Amino acid sequence: MNSPSGQTPAGVDATSLLAAYDDQLRTDAETPGALAVTRLGPLRLVTFAAGRGFVTYRDLAGADAATIRGFVASALAHFRDDATVTSVEWKTRGHDVAPGLHEALVDHGFVPEEPESIMIGEARLLVADVPLPEGVTLRRVTAEADVRAMSAMADEVFGDDPATSGHADSILHRQERDPEMELWVAEADGRVVSAGRLEPVPGTQFAGLWGGSTRPEWRGRGIYRALTSARARSALERGKTYLNSDSTEFSRPILERSGLVKVSTTTPYEWRR
């Protein structure tokens, strides 16, 4: 639960941050915008718009390998029975006690994606005056055309097809159900070059930083950090103390330099019909 250098910043209790993450964020707070949530033992089987299934849990309740294999089989059967679900993500965490989970997921057709770092820290640490490149501006967006342009940029960055991913429709649906969610973009010459969401979590001290993406040719110029600072300011205005993010290796160093701490890892496993 330390930074890559092996040292947790002075005054930061990574163990307490991880406990707050488990207690406050691994509940219904993790699935805003869900169309349906079904409980299966400790699991939450979630259906989102655009045919997306999602599996999460607070922990696996001390289950052994055989029981966990049964959870995987039953969860997949649940989603297979819903013809509208075309993909399922099973969200794992590196600090969980989960004997045999990797093997069970792979045997049932789930494919592990790249691990990400679970980053947590105080929102105030990310507030900074970051100079932007000439011609680049930041703003919060709500109009459908802007949301679709933001989503298309993110799809292109992550190698998805905007025409078929369904991500824009999902975000628009979320926006209707969760007006507290904020969508932020950086633009140059009217073109979205970076974007990210802020998701305040009701009833908790947290707001999440999600969907961070920047076009490759615009990276390393302070734009993502400026977007992060703008979202941190907004989180503080909403009374949130902590920010959390599942970060790729592009964004982790930026958040780490701002004072966030890597407390664990998360690896999504993906199944497609």
Side-chain angles (χ1 to χ4, degrees):
M1 293 184 296
N2 294 332
S3 64
S5 65
Q7 299 295 320
T8 299
V12 174
D13 184 348
T15 301
S16 295
L17 291 176
L18 181 60
Y21 169 87
D22 282 339
D23 292 340
Q24 297 186 45
L25 297 182
R26 298 181 70 174
T27 62
D28 286 335
E30 192 178 6
T31 56
L35 299 179
V37 179
T38 300
R39 296 301 296 267
L40 173 65
L43 307 183
R44 295 170 186 263
L45 311 181
V46 185
T47 304
F48 289 111
R52 295 191 303 118
F54 182 69
V55 181
T56 188
Y57 37 87
R58 168 61 175 80
D59 55 51
L60 290 170
D64 60 17
T67 302
I68 288 174
R69 182 169 288 270
F71 288 156
V72 173
S74 297
L76 185 56
H78 167 82
F79 288 113
R80 280 187 183 277
D81 287 343
D82 184 347
T84 66
V85 173
T86 57
S87 66
V88 179
E89 177 187 333
W90 187 298
K91 187 178 180 73
T92 70
R93 277 83 166 190
H95 62 285
D96 283 346
V97 178
L101 178 58
H102 168 79
E103 293 78 7
L105 288 170
V106 171
D107 289 347
H108 284 84
F110 286 83
V111 177
E113 299 185 350
E114 288 296 314
E116 296 183 340
S117 299
I118 299 174
M119 307 292 294
I120 300 178
E122 295 183 49
R124 63 178 180 82
L125 297 176
L126 275 77
V127 174
D129 292 323
V130 182
L132 287 166
E134 185 176 354
V136 175
T137 57
L138 306 184
R139 67 184 177 108
R140 183 182 171 189
V141 299
T142 57
E144 179 176 347
D146 291 329
V147 174
R148 291 193 179 279
M150 168 186 170
S151 182
M153 185 280 300
D155 281 341
E156 292 166 11
V157 167
F158 290 112
D160 296 321
D161 183 352
T164 60
S165 73
H167 292 154
D169 289 337
S170 180
I171 292 174
L172 287 164
H173 178 76
R174 283 280 315 282
Q175 193 176 42
E176 289 180 0
R177 294 171 63 98
D178 182 13
E180 296 297 304
M181 179 179 70
E182 298 181 7
L183 309 176
W184 287 82
V185 299
E187 295 169 308
D189 296 325
R191 182 176 184 236
V192 178
V193 298
S194 185
R197 304 192 306 274
L198 177 74
E199 299 187 13
V201 183
T204 75
Q205 298 169 280
F206 285 89
L209 299 174
W210 301 109
S213 52
T214 304
R215 293 187 185 277
E217 66 271 24
W218 289 93
R219 292 174 186 162
R221 302 172 68 178
I223 299 173
Y224 177 77
R225 190 175 178 211
L227 270 175
T228 300
S229 178
R231 289 180 287 168
R233 283 193 179 93
S234 185
L236 288 169
E237 290 169 0
R238 291 173 175 270
K240 299 302 181 182
T241 304
Y242 296 115
L243 294 173
N244 70 288
S245 176
D246 294 349
S247 299
T248 66
E249 285 306 292
F250 289 117
S251 57
R252 178 193 57 75
I254 300 170
L255 298 180
E256 209 159 43
R257 286 195 294 270
S258 299
L260 269 67
V261 177
K262 178 179 177 179
V263 298
S264 187
T265 60
T266 178
T267 302
Y269 285 67
E270 189 83 8
W271 173 87
R272 295 186 181 276
R273 190 179 294 277

